[in-house]
Amino acid sequence: MDAREVFRMSWRSIRGHKLRSSLTTLGVIIGVAAVIALATLGASVQASIIGDVGGEEAQQIYVWTGPEGEQGAPGAGAQPVFSERDITRIEGIDTVESVIPRGSVPTSGLRYGNDTVARSDVVAITPGYFDGAEFESGSAFSSGANEVVLNTAAATQFDENVSVGDSIAILRANGSGVNATVVGILNGSESQGPFEGFASQPRVYTPTDPFYETSVSIDGENRRVYPLLTVVATDPDAVEPARDEMLRYLEADSDAASLMPTEYDFSARTNEELLQQVQDLLNTLTGFVTGIAVISLVVGSIGIANIMLVSVTERTKEIGIMKAVGAQRRDVIQLFLVEAVMLGLLGALLGTPLGVGAAYLVAGYIDVSLTFPLEWFAIAIAVGVLVGVVAGLYPAWSAARTDPIDALRYE
């Protein structure tokens, strides 16, 4: 029996039981779609958080304080201890190009016109933070000015979208308000560094002066102190020397060392180290949820095996006739195995675009750009074939062992 005849007979059998074949294939479709959707979403979220490591971002060192021995998220539980004197001293290190302090401005909300919202983060930063940033419109603010930069999520959260040149009021936690002019709106996908999280979170950036007011008394004078620093090295090769020299200063002769709680320590990590941690976490999470989705494929393979066993029973007389006219065992095995593989392959081919569609909808909902892990598409097709082979082996072998005399007498 040639291959073309085997495919023709297998396809005829599948078409002859359309409803049964459809329900059998549905298990594989759901399994493959779930695997593709979760793998694609995992890759998309990973790409959104990690991005490309290169340019000035490869030269950045993120500095904060935290409990000794803990490897928490960047900035988690950080205390405001880095003074402006510390910043000046760190900037004086030969391998350091600049230092960007960062602090949170306590607010009760934002007001634009007659509309007030209460869910925006207000972050005090210096203009150097925006070096290399992509603006949808406008540009960075100037130090000492009542100016702000908004990300797209913050600019679009009011009843009317905020534009460059508009004025918004920042309502402080004590009830007072400060009017500020919007001078820039960041690109919708912009998310600067690991302290930001997703770009979809509404965020307003202000100059440290005059908006940031957190200070402590040091040597009889009030000095602003910040919980987070971004240290930019002069070039990628200078990152390690800059970090080592900075940590030596911080641990020995800094205001931060005297202000930091005794059970805390300094954390200074490079962009690549942070990205690797995030990548490892996301890979573990993606692998876990994808493993759960694989259970659907196991259920689908059981469905194929079950339906093929039913098909062997239904076609017992047909098998007897085939053997009576000269069909060999390998011909019968081939016939039923090809039918099972076709069901598995059909499920994979239909499940792949379904999974991509589901990933597209979810990615749009959580506002991340879709990234396709192409290797998973090949894996999906291979899995569909493998499911068919594994599920069809026993039914095919069982059909091949059927005695032709008993089969011809079967009613």
Side-chain angles (χ1 to χ4, degrees), residues 2-133:
D2 61 24
R4 186 165 54 184
E5 182 66 15
V6 170
F7 278 106
R8 188 185 66 80
M9 293 180 67
S10 297
W11 182 243
R12 184 182 65 187
S13 176
I14 292 172
R15 291 188 60 189
H17 303 87
K18 292 180 181 178
L19 180 59
R20 188 171 70 186
S21 298
S22 298
L23 293 175
T24 303
T25 309
L26 186 61
V28 181
I29 293 174
I30 293 173
V32 170
V35 170
I36 290 292
L38 291 171
T40 301
L41 283 172
S44 300
V45 171
Q46 183 168 298
S48 176
I49 294 177
I50 294 176
D52 295 325
V53 179
E56 188 171 291
E57 288 188 6
Q59 301 166 218
Q60 294 178 347
I61 307 165
Y62 305 102
V63 188
W64 68 96
T65 60
E68 292 182 3
E70 287 192 9
Q71 298 294 319
Q79 299 294 309
V81 297
F82 301 105
S83 70
E84 293 183 331
R85 183 178 80 104
D86 289 339
I87 294 171
T88 302
R89 294 283 182 86
I90 294 172
E91 285 179 330
I93 298 173
D94 292 339
T95 49
V96 172
E97 181 178 297
S98 63
V99 179
I100 303 168
R102 174 193 176 95
S104 179
V105 178
T107 63
S108 60
L110 299 175
R111 185 171 61 238
Y112 173 57
N114 296 320
D115 191 12
T116 301
V117 296
R119 65 185 189 94
S120 291
D121 288 340
V122 179
V123 177
I125 212 82
T126 57
Y129 173 83
F130 300 106
D131 291 347

Side-chain angles (χ1 to χ4, degrees), residues 225-309:
V225 285
Y226 303 89
L228 306 166
L229 300 178
T230 299
V231 178
V232 183
T234 52
D235 59 69
D237 293 334
V239 168
E240 291 301 324
R243 177 168 62 174
D244 293 342
E245 184 66 25
M246 174 192 61
L247 286 175
R248 276 195 292 269
Y249 162 72
L250 287 175
E251 292 168 355
D253 189 34
S254 66
D255 291 335
S258 62
L259 295 173
M260 185 173 61
T262 53
E263 69 277 9
Y264 273 48
D265 200 359
F266 294 109
S267 292
R269 300 184 200 169
T270 65
N271 206 43
E272 291 189 38
E273 289 173 329
L274 292 169
L275 295 183
Q276 187 59 52
Q277 287 183 343
V278 173
Q279 190 170 22
D280 291 343
L281 176 63
L282 289 173
N283 285 339
T284 301
L285 182 61
T286 301
F288 175 72
V289 295
T290 302
I292 295 175
V294 169
I295 296 174
S296 299
L297 282 174
V298 174
V299 174
S301 65
I302 294 173
I304 291 178
N306 181 59
I307 207 64
M308 292 308 300
L309 286 171

